[in-house]
Amino acid sequence: MERSSGILLPISSLPSAYGIGTLGKAAYEFADFLKAAGQKYWQVLPLGPTSYGDSPYQSFSTFAGNPYFIDLDMLVEEGLLTKKDIEKENWGTNPRYVDYGQIYTSRFKVLEEAKKKGYKDALGEISYFKKNNPWVENYALFMALKKHFGQLSWQEWPEEDIRLHEKAAVEKYAKELSEDIELFEFIQYLFFKQWTKLKKYINDLGIEIIGDLPIYVALDSCDVWAEPQFFSLDEENYPVEVAGVPPDYFSEDGQLWGNPCYDWKALKKDNYRWWIRRIEGAAKLYDVLRIDHFRGFDEYWSVPAKDTTAKNGKWKKGPGMDLVGLLNKKFPKIEFIAEDLGEPSPTVVKLLKDSNWPGMKVLEFAFDSGESNNYQPHTYDKNCICYTGTHDNATVMEWYKDAKKKDRDYASKYLGISRSEGFNWGMIRGGMSSVAILFVAQMQDYLGLGKYNRINVPGTQSGNWQWRLINGEITDELAEKIKAMTVMYDRTKLEKKPKPAEKTTKKSSKKSK
């Protein structure tokens, strides 16, 4: 990784006429904006299909793409939909925020219509897609079964044989639900067709995509249902232990995430092939992988599944370099980023050093008197990624408004921020000028947006993952301003212009007498 910078903006946050960002025109325009702004990276959140709560970190599959992101205008261009098919549906009324309930109702109606018109003609391409993505078969059956059982979690399915993924039951339902299975296969074919085209366009501009890979998968996912042997489940495939984090300064109960813990012994016995397949799948989507909750590779907080808080959990040993070293060996062309935020233990620090992956620094934490001070730029080494804030943080301007006065004053003094510069631009300058190999800011921070413009508030159950750009907010002038700062702090490689030809003057030669 070279010294560079990027912008964090989820696909869902792009503007569109259909209630949520898609892989269509606005995505291509944002890629052009990044190029004009001298940026090397576009960081997105996980691209998987979301479940209850709309979090991209709780997906029905670690491999699949989100049906919401399929661009409908592109389907019209291909003759799979008409404008009338789209316009008769309600996509929500507020362009700033995603209305997931309304989109869920409308999106699958139009995708079913597209399948009716295009499935047969695309059979050859779909067959090729399935051959290269063998996970699709289980995923499509899983989603068809969820539809069949009224969207219940697979652990609540009334038929025990299919709940336990027994072979005879799988074959039975594969026949009974064939039409819905075809629908979900077709949806994935469309998603990856559009994503592959967009990714090529982005990469051809010299821009790479950073994607988030949550260390855990959701309990209600095809991943756990289809391969329960790799998770900490009992004989009936119910969780024995679930993931979380212990009580701390911010939460006396800790955080109970509810994701099933891995059976690391079973994974190791299988030579970690599940994880290798997972990284191979992610590599089709992203150029750089940010591993969320990197600490879980060293040790993880295991909570009895029956508990209602994370208080009674205990630390258990993770795979460490046994897995991390294997990933480095198997995927030498993939850049990894370790999300190591918080108070890392000495063993986590050692694992990060041994992995040679860059860790993360968040500038908002640098000036928060409730946090440790190892996030201040003067403490960085080169091998780290500096963020103004992540998707889990307030925007810079919201942080400024809500911070204690002494923290605001300290930040302004430390960074040398003048009133005319603007606090958000001063914070961005602080990150840009740091020694960190990569600097990333949220798009909201470049726009100077405050309250009600953050992506997620951890620990809350509603109102998250909704924020969107509005048409016209990103401009050529903004791109020029960002580029000027990027150039100033040597985070972009400008195209070298040919040197002008040297001017020559002809001198008249005189014959000597």
Side-chain angles (χ1 to χ4, degrees):
M1 188 178 284
E2 298 177 337
R3 182 173 173 82
S4 50
S5 58
I7 294 178
L8 193 165
L9 183 77
I11 296 295
S12 59
S13 294
L14 291 165
S16 83
Y18 310 118
I20 194 168
T22 72
L23 309 179
K25 184 171 179 282
Y28 288 81
E29 290 175 346
F30 188 70
D32 292 338
F33 172 81
L34 290 171
K35 176 70 173 178
Q39 302 304 289
K40 172 69 175 176
Y41 293 97
W42 180 356
Q43 181 166 341
V44 297
L45 300 187
L47 297 175
T50 50
S51 59
Y52 177 78
D54 310 311
S55 170
Y57 294 87
Q58 295 288 341
S59 177
F60 290 132
S61 167
T62 192
F63 297 98
N66 195 330
Y68 298 161
F69 297 163
I70 295 170
D71 187 69
L72 302 182
D73 287 331
M74 287 183 172
L75 300 188
V76 172
E77 291 171 7
E78 293 179 37
L80 300 180
L81 293 174
T82 66
K83 277 289 186 182
K84 187 177 179 181
D85 291 329
I86 302 171
E87 291 169 354
K88 69 182 180 183
E89 301 297 337
N90 185 349
W91 302 103
T93 57
N94 190 336
R96 177 63 89 190
Y97 302 108
V98 178
D99 183 341
Y100 284 100
Q102 191 59 58
I103 288 177
Y104 175 81
T105 301
S106 301
R107 174 64 60 150
F108 287 98
K109 286 183 185 178
V110 297
L111 291 177
E112 285 184 22
E113 187 63 33
K115 189 240 177 183
K116 289 177 188 176
K117 294 177 180 176
Y119 183 82
K120 287 183 180 179
D121 290 340
L123 268 175
E125 291 183 14
I126 294 170
S127 177
Y128 180 79
F129 170 71
K130 288 167 61 177
K131 182 180 178 181
N132 287 280
N133 296 276
W135 54 265
V136 171
E137 187 175 339
N138 263 323
Y139 169 74
L141 174 59
F142 176 79
M143 295 305 295
L145 284 162
K146 282 189 69 69
K147 184 179 178 183
H148 178 72
F149 291 125
Q151 300 302 327
L152 287 174
S153 166
W154 69 267
Q155 299 222 312
E156 299 173 25
W157 290 349
E159 302 295 334
E160 192 75 354
D161 54 356
I162 193 62
R163 191 183 72 77
L164 295 175
H165 199 264
E166 292 179 1
K167 184 178 179 182
V170 167
E171 292 174 352
K172 169 192 165 188
Y173 279 103
K175 292 177 182 177
E176 288 185 13
L177 305 178
S178 60
E179 290 233 349
D180 282 334
I181 289 170
E182 288 176 355
L183 170 64
F184 289 106
E185 290 174 348
F186 185 63
I187 287 171
Q188 289 306 304
Y189 156 74
L190 291 177
F191 173 89
F192 277 87
K193 182 180 179 181
Q194 291 191 359
W195 177 258
T196 301
K197 182 181 177 183
L198 174 63
K199 185 175 184 298
K200 183 181 186 304
Y201 182 85
I202 293 168
N203 291 161
D204 285 349
L205 291 175
I207 298 165
E208 295 184 13
I209 299 166
I210 301 174
D212 269 17
L213 192 72
I215 192 169
Y216 294 112
V217 297
L219 175 60
D220 187 21
S221 67
C222 175
D223 311 298
V224 182
W225 171 70
E227 299 187 270
Q229 68 270 29
F230 297 130
F231 300 89
S232 185
L233 309 178
D234 63 19
E235 300 82 7
E236 299 299 314
N237 286 357
Y238 293 110
V240 173
E241 54 181 351
V242 295
V245 289
D248 57 17
Y249 175 83
F250 299 100
S251 173
E252 61 182 18
D253 289 334
Q255 293 181 38
L256 187 64
W257 296 338
N259 305 77
C261 294
Y262 292 107
D263 184 335
W264 287 114
K265 288 182 180 178
L267 286 161
K268 181 174 182 177
K269 188 176 179 181
D270 193 53
N271 297 315
Y272 298 109
R273 282 186 291 186
W274 184 90
W275 264 95
I276 290 169
R277 283 188 282 116
R278 192 182 188 202
I279 301 299
E280 285 173 343
K284 293 180 180 180
L285 297 170
Y286 316 115
D287 302 297
V288 180
L289 293 181
R290 191 193 82 121
I291 305 295
D292 198 50
H293 196 60
F294 173 79
R295 178 173 191 162
F297 283 152
D298 175 62
E299 55 183 0
Y300 60 97
W301 190 248
S302 166
V303 183
K306 66 181 187 304
D307 284 14
T308 56
T309 75
K311 280 183 176 180
N312 298 321
K314 60 181 179 181
W315 289 112
K316 290 190 175 182
K317 194 64 183 168
M321 278 302 292
D322 198 33
L323 174 58
V324 173
L326 180 64
L327 297 183
N328 281 339
K329 182 180 178 181
K330 288 281 187 180
F331 303 100
K333 294 183 179 180
I334 294 180
E335 299 269 9
F336 290 95
I337 297 171
E339 186 274 289
D340 62 335
L341 301 175
E343 298 272 355
S345 66
T347 54
V348 173
V349 172
K350 184 178 186 308
L351 180 61
L352 182 64
K353 183 178 180 181
D354 291 346
S355 73
N356 202 35
W357 296 359
M360 289 175 55
K361 303 292 183 182
V362 174
L363 279 173
E364 289 180 9
F365 294 164
F367 310 110
D368 187 336
S369 51
E371 289 281 345
S372 61
N373 65 4
N374 65 335
Y375 293 106
Q376 296 168 344
H378 73 268
T379 68
Y380 297 176
D381 61 21
K382 182 180 176 182
N383 193 34
C384 71
I385 316 299
C386 174
Y387 289 80
T388 47
T390 74
H391 63 276
D392 283 334
N393 297 113
T395 66
V396 164
M397 294 312 296
E398 182 182 3
W399 180 90
Y400 183 79
K401 184 175 183 294
D402 294 341
K404 297 173 184 176
K405 184 178 185 300
K406 66 176 182 178
D407 293 344
R408 292 198 303 266
D409 291 346
Y410 175 51
S412 296
K413 185 176 181 180
Y414 182 99
L415 296 169
I417 301 174
S418 66
R419 185 173 296 180
S420 60
E421 180 181 27
F423 187 83
N424 60 313
W425 282 100
M427 186 77 93
I428 289 166
R429 175 172 51 76
M432 277 277 192
S433 62
S434 74
V435 297
I437 193 70
L438 173 62
F439 169 71
V440 178
Q442 295 192 84
M443 192 65 236
Q444 299 96 304
D445 293 338
Y446 279 114
L447 295 172
L449 300 176
K451 199 171 182 180
Y452 308 118
N453 291 283
R454 67 186 292 171
I455 294 170
N456 180 49
V457 181
T460 59
Q461 301 301 315
S462 61
N464 296 312
W465 321 109
Q466 296 179 355
W467 182 84
R468 301 175 66 202
L469 275 172
I470 292 176
N471 279 319
E473 282 189 305
I474 57 173
T475 63
D476 293 342
E477 291 74 21
L478 179 59
E480 288 175 10
K481 186 173 182 179
I482 296 171
K483 185 172 184 178
M485 187 176 285
T486 308
V487 170
M488 179 180 291
Y489 294 112
D490 195 27
R491 290 193 178 273
T492 187
K493 293 209 168 196
L494 296 176
E495 295 179 5
K496 291 183 178 180
K497 295 180 180 179
K499 291 182 179 180
E502 292 184 9
K503 292 182 179 179
T504 57
T505 54
K506 292 183 178 179
K507 295 182 179 179
S508 57
S509 58
K510 294 183 180 179
K511 293 181 179 179
S512 57
K513 292 182 181 177

